[in-house]
Amino acid sequence: MADGKIKKALKDLSLPLKPSAMKAALMVADMVRKAPATGAAGMGAVRKQLGQRYEEKAVVWEGGVVPPLIALLPVAKDKPMIEAISLCIYHVINNCPDNVALAADAGAAKNLVDLCKDKSLIVQQYACAALAILATNGTETRQAVIAAGGMKQLTVVASALDTEDVIGKQGINKQIPYKPWQRQEAAATALRTLSDEASAKEVAGEVGTIKQLVVLLGGEGEVKTKEECAHSVFLLVSEPKNRRLVIDCGGLPPLVRVLTESSSEHARTMAAGALKEIARERPLRVPVRKAGAMPPLVQLCRDGKGALAHEQATGALRELSNELECKCIIRELGAAKDVAALLTSSQDPNVLENALGMLGFMCIIGVQDPASPVVSLSPTTFESLQQDLFDHSVVAPIVSLTRNPEESVHNMAVRALAAACLQHPGNSAKAASASASQSLVALLQSKTHHVVANTIHALLSVCRSYEPNRREAARLGASAALVVLKNESESELVRDLASDLLSVLGVLPSKDCTASSLLLTHIIIGEAYSKQQAAPVVDEVGLLLKATKECREACKGLASKQNMPMLLRLAMNDSLTYVP
């Protein structure tokens, strides 16, 4: 592209406003529109060239055509002129971060927001589309758009109707055609780009944004428009005051309808995300359930293709599974099987955490606090849902995830295991088959208090419900680790739980008759401890001996007036059951 052509356009576009500005704006827009999609002379290269510095006879145009175009917005009043300029700005900044930054620095935020008030439907469309692009420049630019009244003006455009009468009054611009509902879609996109800002969430209710988004969701608009509206609602309801507002505006039925019927997975995903955010508040779970949200959420777990779809669907079910009525629906839908399938098919930590959370929450009678890092086990369980986990062999995948390197995942897996095995011998036996004790005893060494607390909860569940788990945990040295936790942990909860589990296990592994005879046999054989422990594969007897030694070593430096009674009990157990 010749620099001379661009310099000619720069002269025509520079203030004061000239009649030739319209022709220059259309020419610049065509430079982009008619360029190849890629390549050295493609659209990206053309846009970059249009944003370069130009100089001629001591006149300098920093930022190329971008600043002059922005400067023309407040002064151009003629309809064809402003339509050409708005079209040109959109094409020059689209997919070009450098030009977007130039536009932001030139004051585009306020000028484009004001442009949304223009009566031309074409101007409204390209002003909204340009604002959506401008918002990608960062939070400072988004805040400038919001401060200029962007949420209100975009909401006005989004709420407008393209009736035959309105289209007729617009007239025909052969160079810039307009299709009905294009401006509403552009406005919805721009609203989505702004909706993650705190200031946008604050004013969304006041300027009617949420109400209009609900209207568009429930209308007959294009799929793209519904995607953007659902995404905006998802972002806005992260602000608690907007959750009730969505319900008051009648937003739940449209969200559920999009979740159920939309051909777009993104729209379904965002609808699920919005329902998840609303369901974070316990009083709002009832209307979410009554709106029929649970069947399509389970369906999205089943047929969703992307990790984000699974994350939002399982996240919503995790919140809802806290409620008794929702547990009953989970049982009726057979949802446990579909959610559990994600434990083996997904590698995404957020999906795994949410799926584990739902599977754990549903097994417990009583409300779990999702914000609490430690499981709260009730005296009673939802046995039929625990049985679902048994019937579909879900315990083994849960145990496997207790070994996941992500703390958020293995912590939630331990919580789910504690709930699934609580007072359920079948699931506890399945846990034994999956070597749960080995994973759990290893997690007792975690540096995170809530992981240790959940681990002890899980050990209490599996050991009380299935005797072989108790023996295995003791054999693996759980007692030694628990003695240390009982005396040294900074967490009162961990200290109390460690004491409870010690009483279940018996203080030393040799309290078990089988363990005692194995230990004595090992001593009689006379194999050196150090030699045995150095073997490539330590045998069962060696592990028992190691566990006992660790328990004794843990006690050596812990003697005090406060813990002496327990140490005496340790010594008595040792002398009665182990020393030959």
Side-chain angles (χ1 to χ4, degrees):
M1 185 191 306
D3 286 354
K5 194 174 182 181
I6 296 178
K7 288 180 180 179
K8 173 65 168 63
L10 283 165
K11 294 173 185 176
D12 291 337
L13 293 171
S14 297
L15 292 174
L17 179 65
K18 307 172 186 65
S20 58
M22 182 182 79
K23 183 178 179 181
L26 289 172
M27 181 194 73
V28 171
D30 283 342
M31 287 180 181
V32 179
R33 288 193 292 181
K34 295 180 180 180
T38 58
M43 290 183 176
V46 172
R47 291 184 177 110
K48 187 174 182 180
Q49 191 173 359
L50 289 169
Q52 290 177 350
R53 180 183 188 274
Y54 289 91
E55 182 176 356
E56 183 176 279
K57 295 180 181 180
V59 178
V60 177
W61 292 279
E62 292 287 352
V65 302
V66 178
L69 284 168
I70 301 302
L72 284 174
L73 293 178
V75 297
K77 303 300 180 185
D78 180 67
K79 181 179 177 182
M81 173 82 74
I82 196 64
E83 287 178 348
I85 293 171
S86 62
L87 170 78
C88 186
I89 290 173
Y90 166 76
H91 282 293
V92 168
I93 68 173
N94 190 29
N95 291 321
C96 187
D98 290 342
N99 288 353
V100 172
L102 289 169
D105 291 341
K110 184 179 186 307
N111 289 354
L112 287 172
V113 169
D114 289 343
L115 200 61
C116 291
K117 305 172 186 176
D118 194 272
K119 293 182 179 180
S120 165
L121 310 189
I122 294 171
V123 172
Q124 289 179 25
Q125 175 194 345
Y126 285 107
C128 292
L131 280 171
I133 298 166
L134 189 70
T136 64
N137 191 54
T139 188
E140 185 176 342
T141 302
R142 290 191 289 272
Q143 289 173 356
V145 172
I146 296 165
M151 292 293 287
K152 180 178 180 179
Q153 292 307 319
L154 290 167
T155 300
V156 170
V157 176
S159 62
L161 299 176
D162 280 356
T163 62
E164 291 184 8
D165 184 54
V166 170
I167 298 296
K169 289 180 180 178
Q170 163 64 30
I172 298 174
N173 185 327
K174 293 182 179 180
Q175 293 175 300
I176 316 175
Y178 176 80
K179 295 180 181 179
W181 309 109
Q182 285 182 320
R183 57 178 175 150
Q184 291 85 349
E185 181 178 309
T189 301
L191 285 169
R192 186 260 302 164
T193 62
L194 298 175
S195 292
D196 206 22
E197 293 294 326
S199 53
K201 295 171 186 177
E202 187 63 30
V203 303
E206 300 169 11
V207 301
T209 302
I210 289 177
K211 182 178 180 180
Q212 185 52 39
L213 290 171
V214 167
V215 170
L216 289 172
L217 276 175
E220 300 299 324
E222 298 294 325
V223 171
K224 176 66 174 174
T225 303
K226 289 182 182 290
E227 285 182 350
E228 300 292 10
C229 291
H231 198 156
S232 294
V233 173
F234 166 58
L235 295 172
L236 292 171
V237 292
S238 64
E239 167 57 44
K241 74 174 185 178
N242 290 333
R243 297 168 186 165
R244 172 63 70 178
L245 188 57
V246 168
I247 295 175
D248 292 343
C249 291
L252 290 181
L255 283 170
V256 172
R257 195 174 307 121
V258 169
L259 177 62
T260 305
E261 300 175 1
S262 178
S263 61
S264 162
E265 180 164 303
H266 183 68
R268 295 173 68 200
T269 299
M270 292 299 100
L275 292 167
K276 175 198 70 178
E277 293 297 324
I278 293 170
R280 288 190 188 280
E281 295 188 30
R282 191 179 183 193
L284 304 185
R285 292 172 190 162
V286 173
V288 170
R289 170 178 59 81
K290 289 184 175 180
M294 295 190 69
L297 286 170
V298 174
Q299 185 65 36
L300 187 56
C301 290
R302 186 182 302 127
D303 62 21
K305 303 301 181 186
L308 187 59
H310 293 149
E311 177 188 346
Q312 299 305 330
T314 54
L317 289 170
R318 174 180 169 180
E319 299 293 341
L320 293 166
S321 63
N322 248 323
E323 303 301 318
L324 182 60
E325 294 84 355
C326 294
K327 296 178 198 289
C328 296
I329 295 174
I330 289 171
R331 180 74 177 97
E332 293 167 6
L333 295 172
K337 179 181 178 182
D338 296 309
V339 174
L342 296 173
L343 300 184
T344 52
S345 66
S346 178
Q347 300 297 317
D348 186 274
N350 295 324
V351 174
L352 295 173
E353 182 183 355
N354 284 340
L356 288 163
M358 191 213 94
L359 294 171
F361 289 179
M362 74 181 192
C363 292
I364 302 170
I365 300 295
V367 177
Q368 296 289 302
D369 179 5
S372 173
V374 180
V375 67
S376 177
L377 298 177
S378 58
T380 55
T381 63
F382 206 109
E383 189 176 353
S384 60
L385 286 172
Q386 287 180 310
Q387 190 62 35
D388 274 0
L389 299 184
F390 179 86
D391 292 342
H392 298 298
S393 301
V394 179
V395 173
I398 293 175
V399 172
S400 177
L401 289 170
T402 63
R403 304 171 191 128
N404 190 284
E406 291 282 342
E407 183 177 291
S408 62
V409 175
H410 67 240
N411 181 55
M412 193 58 74
V414 170
R415 293 180 64 165
L417 187 63
C421 295
L422 181 64
Q423 303 171 30
H424 198 284
N427 283 339
S428 297
K430 295 256 188 179
S433 299
S435 301
S437 294
Q438 186 176 17
S439 301
L440 296 173
V441 171
L443 284 173
L444 290 175
Q445 307 299 326
S446 172
K447 303 298 183 185
T448 308
H449 292 320
H450 61 257
V451 173
V452 175
N454 288 324
T455 299
I456 299 175
H457 272 305
L459 279 166
L460 283 166
S461 289
V462 300
C463 290
R464 283 171 171 163
S465 299
Y466 190 63
E467 172 63 17
N469 284 324
R470 185 197 69 77
R471 293 200 301 269
E472 180 70 359
R475 184 185 74 79
L476 292 168
S479 300
L482 292 165
V483 168
V484 174
L485 291 170
K486 173 71 174 66
N487 290 279
E488 295 185 0
S489 177
E490 297 175 0
S491 166
E492 182 179 358
L493 176 61
V494 169
R495 294 197 301 271
D496 290 344
L497 287 171
S499 181
D500 290 345
L501 185 52
L502 277 167
S503 68
V504 171
L505 295 181
V507 178
L508 292 177
S510 53
K511 177 177 180 180
D512 180 83
C513 294
T514 303
S516 296
S517 70
L518 285 170
L519 284 167
L520 288 170
T521 302
H522 193 77
I523 292 167
I524 292 168
I525 292 172
E527 186 176 3
Y529 173 82
S530 57
K531 179 182 176 182
Q532 200 281 335
Q533 296 299 314
V537 179
V538 181
D539 65 21
E540 184 177 18
V541 177
L543 290 173
L544 285 164
L545 189 61
K546 182 175 184 291
T548 303
K549 182 177 178 182
E550 286 180 354
C551 188
R552 287 173 163 176
E553 292 297 323
C555 294
K556 279 184 178 178
L558 300 176
S560 68
K561 184 177 291 186
Q562 288 75 22
N563 62 29
M564 189 58 70
M566 189 182 72
L567 293 177
L568 288 172
R569 186 157 59 95
L570 280 169
M572 184 173 293
N573 267 288
D574 198 7
S575 63
L576 290 175
T577 61
Y578 172 76
V579 178

